Short mmCIF file of all heavy atoms in Angstrom, two decimals:
data_model
loop_
_atom_site.label_atom_id
_atom_site.label_comp_id
_atom_site.label_asym_id
_atom_site.label_seq_id
_atom_site.Cartn_x
_atom_site.Cartn_y
_atom_site.Cartn_z
N PRO U 44 10.73 -23.09 -13.91
CA PRO U 44 9.92 -21.96 -13.43
C PRO U 44 10.00 -21.75 -11.91
O PRO U 44 9.89 -20.63 -11.44
CB PRO U 44 8.49 -22.30 -13.85
CG PRO U 44 8.58 -23.44 -14.79
CD PRO U 44 9.92 -24.07 -14.62
N GLU U 45 10.20 -22.81 -11.16
CA GLU U 45 10.26 -22.67 -9.69
C GLU U 45 11.50 -21.89 -9.27
O GLU U 45 11.41 -20.97 -8.45
CB GLU U 45 10.25 -24.06 -9.04
CG GLU U 45 10.14 -23.99 -7.53
CD GLU U 45 10.02 -25.36 -6.91
OE1 GLU U 45 9.23 -26.19 -7.42
OE2 GLU U 45 10.69 -25.61 -5.90
N THR U 46 12.64 -22.23 -9.84
CA THR U 46 13.87 -21.49 -9.54
C THR U 46 13.77 -20.06 -10.06
O THR U 46 14.24 -19.12 -9.41
CB THR U 46 15.09 -22.21 -10.15
OG1 THR U 46 15.15 -23.53 -9.63
CG2 THR U 46 16.38 -21.49 -9.82
N TRP U 47 13.16 -19.90 -11.21
CA TRP U 47 12.95 -18.57 -11.78
C TRP U 47 12.11 -17.71 -10.82
O TRP U 47 12.44 -16.56 -10.55
CB TRP U 47 12.23 -18.71 -13.13
CG TRP U 47 12.19 -17.46 -13.94
CD1 TRP U 47 11.16 -16.57 -14.03
CD2 TRP U 47 13.20 -16.97 -14.81
NE1 TRP U 47 11.47 -15.56 -14.89
CE2 TRP U 47 12.73 -15.78 -15.40
CE3 TRP U 47 14.48 -17.42 -15.16
CZ2 TRP U 47 13.47 -15.04 -16.30
CZ3 TRP U 47 15.21 -16.69 -16.06
CH2 TRP U 47 14.72 -15.51 -16.63
N GLN U 48 11.06 -18.30 -10.26
CA GLN U 48 10.21 -17.58 -9.30
C GLN U 48 10.98 -17.25 -8.04
O GLN U 48 10.80 -16.17 -7.46
CB GLN U 48 8.95 -18.37 -8.98
CG GLN U 48 7.96 -17.60 -8.12
CD GLN U 48 7.47 -16.33 -8.79
OE1 GLN U 48 7.03 -16.37 -9.93
NE2 GLN U 48 7.54 -15.21 -8.09
N ASP U 49 11.85 -18.16 -7.60
CA ASP U 49 12.69 -17.88 -6.43
C ASP U 49 13.56 -16.64 -6.68
O ASP U 49 13.72 -15.80 -5.79
CB ASP U 49 13.57 -19.08 -6.09
CG ASP U 49 12.80 -20.26 -5.54
OD1 ASP U 49 11.63 -20.07 -5.12
OD2 ASP U 49 13.37 -21.37 -5.53
N MET U 50 14.11 -16.54 -7.88
CA MET U 50 14.94 -15.39 -8.24
C MET U 50 14.09 -14.12 -8.22
O MET U 50 14.49 -13.09 -7.65
CB MET U 50 15.55 -15.60 -9.62
CG MET U 50 16.36 -14.42 -10.13
SD MET U 50 16.91 -14.62 -11.83
CE MET U 50 15.36 -14.51 -12.73
N ILE U 51 12.91 -14.18 -8.81
CA ILE U 51 12.01 -13.02 -8.84
C ILE U 51 11.61 -12.62 -7.42
O ILE U 51 11.59 -11.44 -7.08
CB ILE U 51 10.77 -13.31 -9.72
CG1 ILE U 51 11.20 -13.40 -11.19
CG2 ILE U 51 9.69 -12.26 -9.51
CD1 ILE U 51 10.12 -13.87 -12.12
N ASP U 52 11.33 -13.61 -6.57
CA ASP U 52 10.99 -13.33 -5.18
C ASP U 52 12.13 -12.63 -4.46
O ASP U 52 11.91 -11.71 -3.67
CB ASP U 52 10.60 -14.60 -4.45
CG ASP U 52 9.28 -15.19 -4.95
OD1 ASP U 52 8.50 -14.48 -5.63
OD2 ASP U 52 9.04 -16.39 -4.66
N ALA U 53 13.37 -13.07 -4.72
CA ALA U 53 14.54 -12.43 -4.10
C ALA U 53 14.66 -10.98 -4.57
O ALA U 53 14.94 -10.08 -3.76
CB ALA U 53 15.80 -13.22 -4.45
N PHE U 54 14.45 -10.75 -5.86
CA PHE U 54 14.48 -9.37 -6.36
C PHE U 54 13.39 -8.52 -5.71
O PHE U 54 13.64 -7.39 -5.30
CB PHE U 54 14.30 -9.34 -7.88
CG PHE U 54 15.48 -9.86 -8.66
CD1 PHE U 54 15.30 -10.38 -9.93
CD2 PHE U 54 16.76 -9.81 -8.16
CE1 PHE U 54 16.37 -10.85 -10.67
CE2 PHE U 54 17.85 -10.28 -8.89
CZ PHE U 54 17.65 -10.79 -10.15
N ASN U 55 12.18 -9.09 -5.60
CA ASN U 55 11.07 -8.34 -4.98
C ASN U 55 11.35 -8.04 -3.52
O ASN U 55 11.00 -6.96 -3.03
CB ASN U 55 9.76 -9.09 -5.15
CG ASN U 55 9.20 -8.97 -6.55
OD1 ASN U 55 9.35 -7.94 -7.20
ND2 ASN U 55 8.55 -10.00 -7.02
N HIS U 56 11.99 -8.97 -2.83
CA HIS U 56 12.37 -8.74 -1.42
C HIS U 56 13.36 -7.57 -1.33
O HIS U 56 13.22 -6.69 -0.47
CB HIS U 56 12.96 -10.01 -0.83
CG HIS U 56 13.42 -9.84 0.58
ND1 HIS U 56 12.55 -9.76 1.64
CD2 HIS U 56 14.66 -9.71 1.10
CE1 HIS U 56 13.24 -9.59 2.75
NE2 HIS U 56 14.52 -9.55 2.46
N THR U 57 14.33 -7.55 -2.22
CA THR U 57 15.30 -6.47 -2.26
C THR U 57 14.62 -5.14 -2.57
O THR U 57 14.91 -4.12 -1.93
CB THR U 57 16.39 -6.76 -3.32
OG1 THR U 57 17.04 -7.99 -2.99
CG2 THR U 57 17.41 -5.65 -3.40
N ILE U 58 13.71 -5.15 -3.52
CA ILE U 58 12.98 -3.94 -3.90
C ILE U 58 12.19 -3.41 -2.70
O ILE U 58 12.25 -2.21 -2.40
CB ILE U 58 12.04 -4.21 -5.09
CG1 ILE U 58 12.86 -4.46 -6.36
CG2 ILE U 58 11.06 -3.06 -5.29
CD1 ILE U 58 12.08 -5.09 -7.50
N GLU U 59 11.48 -4.28 -2.01
CA GLU U 59 10.69 -3.85 -0.85
C GLU U 59 11.57 -3.24 0.22
O GLU U 59 11.24 -2.19 0.79
CB GLU U 59 9.91 -5.04 -0.28
CG GLU U 59 8.77 -5.50 -1.15
CD GLU U 59 8.12 -6.78 -0.64
OE1 GLU U 59 8.33 -7.13 0.54
OE2 GLU U 59 7.42 -7.43 -1.43
#
Side-chain angles (χ1 to χ4, degrees):
E45 187 175 315
T46 302
W47 192 263
Q48 186 61 51
D49 290 343
M50 176 187 69
I51 291 171
D52 292 344
F54 289 154
N55 283 326
H56 177 74
T57 301
I58 291 165
E59 289 173 18

